[in-house]
Amino acid sequence: MHWRRGASGEAGLCWLGNFVGGFPDTHFNPLMDLLFSPSGLNLNIIRYNIGGGNNATNSPRLQTGWGKWRGMPGFKATEQAGYNWSADDRQRKVLFAARARGADTFEAFANSPPWWMTVSGDVAGASKYGEGNLKVQYEEAYAEFLTDVVEKFAKDTSWGEGMVFDTLEPFNEALEGWWMKGGGQEGCNIGLQQMKRILLMVQAALERKQLKTGIVSVDSFVQTTPRQIGTLNPFLARYNVHGYMSLAKNGTSSVEWTTQNFHVMKGIAKGQEKEVWVSEWGPLLRGGEDMDVALFMARSIIAAINILEATGWVFWQAIDPVASWALIHIDWSKTPDESTVYTPPTVSKKFWILKHFTSLAPAGSKRLYVNKAKCSYGIAAFYTPKKRMISVFVVNQKATPRTVKIHIPWWFLRNVGGKSKVHSWRTSYADDFVKVNYRGGHMPIRFAIPARSFASFALTHVRPLW
């Protein structure tokens, strides 16, 4: 398995881009450096949101407070209007800033069609729970709308800087049925049969416009997806699932429930020779201290690596006004133009734990098998060919210190020799991705992890025998 690194919100932009993209450069550039530069998180997956554009009368919650940043600008205000390509300048600014700092994998996605294509007239959802909200007569127009935006980026170099999206996702949690009129964010219920028709139309439009963009889907909760996703196989370049792991069912722990579905989803993807991404993750319904949420995130990442065998993992909102959901916390109560009342960002423990992964398991690293079932969401390991390095990541969520002993098979350790060294880093209540001294040997590797902390180590100058 080849691993990509990413965060959405986003390095899946959407609300983040709509808010932060309006900051003056003195505030904007340091944030972009934190997320996308090699000295920061070095995120490389970017998911760009094609906004539906809300109707002020029908979407009141998307007009004020945080809602005005969640109400994404739309490029086509009405059916009769032409495209307004300046509508989403803020999010595009973040997109291009990420690419300039090294991001290299780009996906366009939509949460809702434009408001005038919907049954309710509201990009937040339908008038009734579970009711489909895309008018049948606008299915083809929706496909054209999405691919027009992708085409504009690719072919108008002065506007889109020649941005070729690797993939396009027309839906977001469309199977769940919970998107309702008057809600606080864009969303659209779309049934499976309508999805199939739209995917065919999107595929035809991409081919007609000679775009090299693939299609992914369905961006539903992993608990929902396996029951329906398999039938979409012919249309898709990859599967996207959402890895929110804070819901429990029938007394089963949230982690166990989600990982059961990870096994099912992995089987579907492997049977169809497709990759899977966790295209959204956040601590849904998960409270607690910053470190508690960060350790929960770490276990979620490791479960996605070991059980789902995901090749990409995306944090929903990297910059957010709710601290538990943010890698970087900023007060959104002021507009970004009011620089005199700008609140300095707070970098969370989630940021520092994610930096372990993005620093030590860069894109192109290969997942290594961890030989203990109980380690499925506690330990992950990678080999990075370009660096000739093994990296191991360990969560200690217990209230007591833990000593870990890692056995690396002898056949993996070709050319260890005198150059091989073990390096270790730690994030805890007191430390933020701090390098710590390692005084042990190479086989096995032993190191102590403080209570309620996250540790990683790298064994350098190694090469497998294969």
Side-chain angles (χ1 to χ4, degrees):
M1 183 199 83
H2 293 269
W3 174 250
R4 300 168 188 257
R5 60 197 186 279
S8 177
E10 293 193 44
L13 310 189
C14 200
W15 312 334
L16 174 158
N18 196 26
F19 180 65
V20 174
F23 278 25
D25 287 348
T26 52
H27 301 319
F28 176 81
N29 287 325
L31 290 171
M32 296 300 98
D33 291 340
L34 279 172
L35 291 179
F36 304 115
S37 72
S39 61
L41 279 184
N42 202 24
L43 301 174
N44 76 322
I45 296 175
I46 308 298
R47 300 187 73 230
Y48 172 85
N49 179 240
I50 301 175
N54 62 78
N55 180 307
T57 301
N58 294 339
S59 308
R61 289 182 62 189
L62 300 180
Q63 309 301 317
T64 60
W66 295 351
K68 63 185 175 183
W69 308 119
R70 294 184 173 191
M72 297 302 295
F75 290 118
K76 196 169 172 60
T78 66
E79 183 175 7
Q80 295 75 29
Y83 282 102
N84 175 12
W85 295 118
S86 64
D88 194 28
D89 286 350
R90 293 189 296 269
Q91 189 185 190
R92 286 194 304 119
K93 181 181 178 180
V94 177
L95 175 68
F96 297 142
R99 184 169 70 167
R101 286 162 173 79
D104 58 10
T105 302
F106 303 98
E107 180 165 293
F109 75 102
N111 291 322
S112 171
W115 69 269
W116 47 269
M117 294 186 187
T118 67
V119 176
S120 68
D122 188 351
V123 292
S127 299
K128 295 181 180 179
Y129 186 91
E131 185 175 72
N133 202 35
L134 172 60
K135 293 179 180 178
V136 174
Q137 64 266 35
Y138 283 113
E139 290 174 357
E140 190 163 358
Y142 182 46
E144 289 298 316
F145 168 75
L146 294 175
T147 55
D148 280 353
V149 175
V150 172
E151 183 181 37
K152 179 72 172 178
F153 270 99
K155 297 181 179 180
D156 188 339
T157 55
S158 63
W159 181 88
E161 297 188 7
M163 171 73 70
V164 176
F165 286 103
D166 299 282
T167 47
L168 170 63
E169 164 61 289
F171 317 114
N172 181 68
E173 297 175 7
L175 295 173
E176 277 75 1
W178 50 45
W179 301 111
M180 296 286 290
K181 183 176 181 178
Q185 64 186 83
E186 291 188 6
C188 184
N189 307 324
I190 297 176
L192 194 64
Q193 295 307 313
Q194 189 174 37
M195 277 187 176
K196 292 178 181 179
R197 295 195 299 269
I198 293 168
L199 288 172
L200 276 174
M201 294 172 185
V202 170
Q203 185 178 53
L206 289 170
E207 291 174 356
R208 186 175 67 253
K209 296 170 185 179
Q210 298 182 323
L211 297 169
K212 298 180 180 180
T213 299
I215 304 172
V216 297
S217 224
V218 293
D219 272 272
S220 281
F221 271 48
V222 72
Q223 294 90 345
T224 303
T225 301
R227 297 197 300 269
Q228 307 190 59
I229 196 171
T231 59
L232 298 175
N233 168 44
F235 311 106
L236 306 182
R238 186 191 67 242
Y239 286 127
N240 279 5
V241 299
H242 293 180
Y244 299 103
M245 298 177 70
S246 298
L247 302 175
K249 182 180 182 181
N250 297 332
T252 304
S253 75
S254 59
V255 170
E256 289 172 354
W257 182 36
T258 300
T259 53
Q260 287 169 6
N261 286 279
F262 276 0
H263 283 294
V264 175
M265 189 66 243
K266 179 177 69 174
I268 292 171
K270 280 184 172 289
Q272 298 174 359
E273 298 183 336
K274 295 191 185 300
E275 293 185 3
V276 183
W277 278 10
V278 174
S279 54
E280 283 189 23
W281 185 90
L284 185 65
L285 306 179
R286 183 79 180 191
E289 294 181 294
D290 187 21
M291 195 66 198
D292 293 331
V293 179
L295 293 174
F296 178 68
M297 180 197 74
R299 296 178 74 225
S300 301
I301 294 173
I302 290 173
I305 292 168
N306 288 338
I307 301 173
L308 183 61
E309 296 186 15
T311 57
W313 187 90
V314 180
F315 195 96
W316 167 235
Q317 286 290 277
I319 299 176
D320 199 86
V322 180
S324 63
W325 279 77
L327 297 178
I328 301 171
H329 176 230
I330 295 181
D331 180 7
W332 286 24
S333 63
K334 302 293 184 180
T335 67
D337 299 320
E338 294 175 316
S339 56
T340 55
V341 292
Y342 174 71
T343 303
T346 301
V347 176
S348 73
K349 292 293 182 180
K350 295 184 292 297
F351 177 99
W352 295 112
I353 285 181
L354 193 55
K355 187 169 174 61
H356 286 255
F357 290 98
T358 60
S359 299
L360 301 178
S365 298
K366 298 179 180 181
R367 183 182 66 89
L368 299 179
Y369 175 66
V370 177
N371 190 24
K372 277 195 178 182
K374 67 181 181 181
C375 296
S376 294
Y377 35 80
I379 299 176
F382 287 90
Y383 176 64
T384 306
K386 287 185 178 180
K387 296 186 176 182
R388 294 177 58 193
M389 178 180 75
I390 294 173
S391 53
V392 180
F393 307 88
V394 184
V395 179
N396 181 17
Q397 63 174 359
K398 296 181 178 180
T400 55
R402 176 185 180 189
T403 298
V404 175
K405 181 167 63 175
I406 304 294
H407 294 271
I408 298 174
W410 65 266
W411 45 262
F412 204 99
L413 299 181
R414 179 184 178 190
N415 290 341
V416 170
K419 292 184 178 180
S420 182
K421 293 183 179 180
V422 177
H423 306 272
S424 183
W425 292 262
R426 180 171 65 216
T427 293
S428 64
Y429 283 101
D431 301 314
D432 295 326
F433 191 58
V434 170
K435 193 168 185 179
V436 295
N437 291 329
Y438 177 78
R439 302 182 184 279
H442 296 155
M443 293 180 64
I445 296 172
R446 300 172 184 264
F447 59 104
I449 308 176
R452 309 291 297 160
S453 67
F454 184 85
S456 59
F457 77 82
L459 177 61
T460 60
H461 294 91
V462 296
R463 192 191 315 179
L465 292 177
W466 63 80

